[in-house]
Amino acid sequence: MYSTKFLAALTAALLATTVSVHAEQVFNRIASFPVALNNPDAEEGTENSAEIITATEDGMTLVYSNALLGGIGFVDITDPAAPKPAGFVALDGGPTSVTVIGGKVLVTSDTSEDFTAPTGYLSVIDIATKAIEVTCDLGGQPDAIAKNADASLVAISMENQRDEDLNDGEIPQLPSGNITFFPVTDGTVDCASMRVTELAGVADFAGEDAEPEYTDFNSANELAVTLQENNHIVILNGETGEIISDFSAGTVDLEGIDATEDDRLSFTESQPGRKREPDALQWLDDDRIVTANEGDYEGGARGFTIFNKDGTVLYESGPSMEYIAAQLGHYPEGRSDAKGVEPEGMEVGTYGDTRFIFVNQERSSLVAVYKDTGGEPEYWQSLPSGVGPEGALAIPSRNLYVTANETDLSPDGLAGSHVMIFELSESEPAYPQIMSDLDADGKPIGWAALSGAVGDAEKPGTLYAVNDSAFAEAAIYEIDATAKPARIIKKTIITRNGAPAQKLDLEGIALDGEGGFWLASEGYTAKLTPHALYHVNADGEIEDEVAFPAELLANEIRSGSEGITAIGEGDDMTLWIAIQREWKDDPKGQVKLVSYKPSTEEWGAVAYALEAPSEGAWVGLSEITAHGDYVYIIERDNQIAGNAQLKALYRVPVAELVAAELGGELPVVTKELVRDLVPDLKSLNGYVVDKVESFAVDADGVGYVITDNDGVDDSSGETLFWSIGKL
């Protein structure tokens, strides 16, 4: 179904898009707003969230639902590049959706304590005073709210959701859901005017338990509704509530996908007859609907579909968005057997003469942007969002697009929930900064978690990088850094005795001077992964394995090798390995730079003094790279976003790398700051990522920095790749 020719065309479009073809009109991120700023008094580590998002009619204030804290937040975007906290209104229960009419916010909230007796209500809140003016009992559990074109009517999908722990989450689980309507006058509602359209019995699958998910009005006052679990779409007359038509969302024969969660990226499998099970939907015009096919317990077609309102399929994206995500290093391998990138939120916006379709991908943390052509949509670009983008909002009057990213990992010391703002302007895409080509079989070269790099000795702009233990297979990636974005053009799997090598956690790579490489693996004794060096040839075959000596291992901890570089040639070559953190025999605030001379098998070390960490953080090394009279070292803290303080490049004179014997007192080398990398990490207007892990110098002496995205899990998936120029 998805041919090599199709994939080649897709890659060509992706490359063209990210370089210059649409340079006159692209979206770039201009700001990220941590939603915790709206709750400064919340206890540290309190889980926060921004889910569904809307804006005031002048586009100057954002309003988002926050079910985790039980309220709605406001963000002042008078200057969209500098969003400010604008308040929080606490509500009973968990808000599920928001919309704005005039000077009022209409919010649906879930107060259910029992799946068999769901409850919820609609509230009307004055934006200026933040006062709750009206509350209406909805008689069930609401999900989404939508307003019609002239804001005279709102519709609420009353999902009455199922208990996912009962019968493996299968439906039917009564009560059934419905659509509830309210006429709107002066931005508010009269609770007594509520009317209900029952949806039980409409769908072909489990029709007695309709679970409406998302709603949207067209300009003809027709309301489209997804019944996700029922795999069905319903069209209603908004004025009367009458069902105009309904149809199954159908199935897709998915081919050339990664359908197995095995810590490998291989797009060779299939899932025939996969139910679409759409989540969000939007009208493209009065006749066409586009759906984000996230899937639920029985399906997930991994893409998006354009339907005529009579149910005719006009376009099916299939797994094409997943191929793009894989090329950008964002493919979520941990969701391969289920829903892949999980398209969930969706928006349509017309900017000037161009109508764009935005598809938020929950698990890849990307937004895929397409131009609506009236026929097959044209892929435009992909936007880097925070973790778990759910809410999607187009503000064409201000050339803005906004995402609300629901996932909050701050209790685990990772990134919190963010609202991200993108602007359409005449420019080039700032993201991606690195992507992959197709492999020999015409499928994406899957990659992520780049953890160490080295420059080719002769070819300017050619780099080699390795991945860490995010995948079961370790690999060497050849990078063309002269392309924009940089391109991964080749992937070589590391093998042992002809099979992919196991028990590797590669964190560094160095040239061996003979066409092969030395690799440093960070050990983890508890998982039987040794602290070791590996000598591989150009084909990735391991030719020699060098375990760390007993003098080192007697004091090991989990944080080991984080970079390797070579100084000298032939029998005079010495390898230097950066140890990330203090081992048991290191003075506090000092780490080892360990040496190994392959020709004599001699080990030694010097000491490197770390910068002092901020409270609650640790500081360590991430890379070591020799060039000229210096070795260059990345030193960083383990903090992310607003807590990040130290991400920097230092240099140490090669002349001071005189190794002392292990086990004795080590000489401390001097260091000099070369570059503070935090401003570079802020240049894409996202939050500062934690893992700056690679620094390579090419044959012309140009330095390149790469971040490690940790393989997408618990990460936004963003990989930053940039040059700091000639050293």
Side-chain angles (χ1 to χ4, degrees):
M1 179 182 289
Y2 303 100
S3 66
T4 299
K5 181 179 179 181
F6 167 81
L7 292 176
L10 181 67
T11 294
L14 181 59
L15 284 167
T17 298
T18 53
V19 179
S20 62
V21 170
H22 304 310
E24 76 284 0
Q25 191 178 6
V26 298
F27 290 90
N28 280 317
R29 185 171 52 199
I30 59 171
S32 297
F33 175 80
V35 300
L37 293 180
N38 257 335
N39 309 94
D41 298 328
E43 184 179 348
E44 185 175 353
T46 298
E47 216 174 340
N48 229 316
S49 187
E51 296 159 291
I52 304 304
I53 194 161
T54 188
T56 52
E57 293 179 352
D58 61 4
M60 296 296 176
T61 303
L62 302 175
V63 188
Y64 61 87
S65 63
N66 186 336
L68 293 179
L69 284 187
I72 60 170
F74 296 81
V75 185
D76 178 356
I77 58 167
T78 303
D79 178 358
K84 300 175 182 179
F88 187 84
V89 176
L91 296 166
D92 293 332
T96 61
S97 190
V98 290
T99 192
V100 167
I101 298 178
K104 315 293 183 183
V105 182
L106 282 70
V107 187
T108 53
S109 296
D110 178 12
T111 54
S112 303
E113 296 182 359
D114 184 342
F115 287 103
T116 64
T119 59
Y121 66 97
L122 170 69
S123 55
V124 179
I125 301 171
D126 183 78
I127 295 172
T129 66
K130 306 296 191 295
I132 302 171
E133 297 182 336
V134 176
T135 59
C136 301
D137 182 6
L138 294 173
Q141 177 260 319
D143 192 337
I145 184 171
K147 63 182 177 181
N148 66 349
D150 65 3
S152 63
L153 182 67
V154 294
I156 301 168
S157 57
M158 301 297 298
E159 184 178 12
N160 294 334
Q161 63 188 359
R162 71 192 192 280
D163 182 352
E164 295 186 19
D165 295 325
L166 178 64
N167 298 329
D168 295 324
E170 292 190 18
I171 59 173
Q173 291 184 27
L174 299 179
S176 179
N178 62 63
I179 298 296
T180 294
F181 294 93
F182 288 91
V184 180
T185 304
D186 296 328
T188 193
V189 302
D190 177 359
C191 297
S193 67
M194 183 176 79
R195 54 185 170 84
V196 174
T197 297
E198 297 293 345
L199 297 178
V202 174
D204 299 327
F205 174 74
E208 66 270 38
D209 181 17
E211 294 204 11
E213 193 82 22
Y214 208 90
T215 59
D216 192 43
F217 281 100
N218 65 10
S219 65
N221 239 11
E222 295 172 329
L223 182 75
V225 183
T226 56
L227 280 60
Q228 185 175 27
E229 288 82 0
N230 309 91
N231 195 38
H232 213 78
I233 296 172
V234 181
I235 312 294
L236 299 93
N237 181 316
E239 295 178 357
T240 67
E242 177 187 0
I243 296 175
I244 300 172
S245 65
D246 69 278
F247 52 89
S248 170
T251 62
V252 179
D253 292 329
L254 293 173
E255 298 177 4
I257 64 171
D258 187 342
T260 304
E261 185 181 335
D262 58 0
D263 294 329
R264 293 174 173 83
L265 298 181
S266 54
F267 299 91
T268 59
E269 298 169 282
S270 63
Q271 287 180 339
R274 192 74 170 174
K275 289 182 178 179
R276 289 188 172 94
E277 292 187 345
D279 189 343
L281 89 167
Q282 292 280 293
W283 289 95
L284 282 170
D285 50 39
D286 284 346
D287 296 309
R288 295 178 301 144
I289 302 163
V290 58
T291 64
N293 303 323
E294 178 199 22
D296 206 286
Y297 68 97
E298 281 201 356
R302 301 176 180 240
F304 68 97
T305 307
I306 298 176
F307 295 93
N308 186 281
K309 65 182 180 182
D310 65 6
T312 303
V313 174
L314 303 176
Y315 173 77
E316 169 58 49
S317 74
S320 60
M321 288 198 304
E322 299 204 322
Y323 299 152
I324 296 171
Q327 289 185 268
L328 302 185
H330 280 255
Y331 181 77
E333 158 57 23
R335 299 297 290 174
S336 287
D337 62 339
K339 313 172 196 176
V341 297
E342 292 194 37
E344 182 177 16
M346 171 171 279
E347 178 71 306
V348 170
T350 301
Y351 298 74
D353 296 329
T354 304
R355 181 181 291 113
F356 289 109
I357 303 168
F358 303 89
V359 186
N360 288 7
Q361 300 168 14
E362 180 182 5
R363 297 291 178 162
S364 72
S365 296
L366 286 171
V367 179
V369 185
Y370 292 80
K371 178 182 176 181
D372 177 28
T373 66
E376 180 175 332
E378 176 186 350
Y379 173 74
W380 202 256
Q381 64 182 126
S382 289
L383 307 177
S385 190
V387 185
E390 179 168 345
L393 175 66
I395 311 178
S397 64
R398 302 193 67 196
N399 282 333
L400 301 177
Y401 176 71
V402 180
T403 62
N405 303 283
E406 65 174 334
T407 304
D408 187 340
L409 302 172
S410 59
D412 298 323
L414 300 172
S417 174
H418 281 68
V419 169
M420 294 196 172
I421 304 172
F422 304 83
E423 183 177 48
L424 182 67
S425 64
E426 295 184 2
S427 58
E428 292 187 353
Y431 195 84
Q433 297 183 331
I434 183 170
M435 60 171 288
S436 69
D437 283 352
L438 302 180
D439 63 19
D441 296 322
K443 298 292 175 60
I445 297 176
W447 65 278
L450 301 182
S451 55
V454 66
D456 189 273
E458 299 178 355
K459 295 182 286 185
T462 296
L463 311 179
Y464 306 96
V466 291
N467 65 267
D468 61 23
S469 59
F471 298 122
E473 296 176 343
I476 297 172
Y477 303 89
E478 183 176 342
I479 301 170
D480 177 4
T482 66
K484 187 178 181 182
R487 291 168 50 205
I488 294 174
I489 61 176
K490 183 180 179 181
K491 177 179 180 179
T492 302
I493 299 296
I494 306 302
T495 59
R496 181 187 285 114
N497 300 323
Q502 304 298 305
K503 300 299 181 182
L504 298 181
D505 184 5
L506 300 185
E507 297 286 352
I509 179 172
L511 305 177
D512 71 352
E514 300 174 350
F517 304 93
W518 280 97
L519 310 176
S521 181
E522 183 175 28
Y524 194 178
T525 300
K527 292 188 176 182
L528 303 180
T529 300
H531 295 276
L533 308 180
Y534 297 88
H535 189 200
V536 303
N537 61 24
D539 295 322
E541 299 166 331
I542 295 176
E543 296 183 337
D544 193 15
E545 304 184 27
V546 181
F548 275 22
E551 297 93 327
L552 271 177
L553 294 179
N555 296 288
E556 69 165 311
I557 65 168
R558 168 70 180 91
S559 299
S561 304
E562 280 286 326
I564 185 171
T565 195
I567 297 176
E569 299 177 348
D571 289 345
D572 292 327
M573 175 184 287
T574 298
L575 301 174
W576 284 91
I577 304 101
I579 303 300
Q580 185 177 53
R581 297 180 63 188
E582 303 100 319
W583 281 21
K584 295 175 185 177
D585 59 336
D586 290 318
K588 185 176 178 58
Q590 287 186 7
V591 292
K592 294 183 183 72
L593 303 180
V594 173
S595 67
Y596 174 71
K597 192 168 186 177
S599 62
T600 63
E601 300 182 351
E602 293 176 285
W603 291 86
V606 297
Y608 177 99
L610 298 168
E611 299 297 301
S614 58
E615 185 177 354
W618 57 256
V619 168
L621 307 185
S622 286
E623 178 70 289
I624 182 169
T625 300
H627 176 69
D629 294 331
Y630 298 91
V631 291
Y632 292 81
I633 291 174
I634 290 178
E635 186 175 344
R636 67 171 179 87
D637 60 21
N638 66 327
Q639 300 298 293
I640 194 169
N643 293 327
Q645 301 293 320
L646 176 65
K647 318 288 180 185
L649 183 68
Y650 291 87
R651 68 181 187 181
V652 171
V654 169
E656 294 189 19
L657 296 181
V658 180
E661 289 186 13
L662 297 172
E665 185 175 352
L666 302 178
V668 181
V669 297
T670 60
K671 68 180 187 180
E672 176 186 1
L673 178 65
V674 176
R675 188 181 183 99
D676 178 3
L677 300 175
V678 171
D680 297 309
L681 295 169
K682 291 181 177 179
S683 65
L684 291 185
N685 300 309
Y687 53 77
V688 176
V689 298
D690 55 338
K691 294 192 174 181
V692 187
E693 296 235 339
S694 299
F695 180 69
V697 182
D698 77 354
D700 278 346
V702 176
Y704 295 90
V705 185
I706 314 174
T707 64
D708 177 356
N709 72 358
D710 267 345
V712 185
D713 287 346
D714 293 339
S715 163
S716 68
E718 292 184 36
T719 297
L720 280 64
F721 180 105
W722 74 97
S723 168
I724 65 168
K726 284 198 173 186
L727 299 178

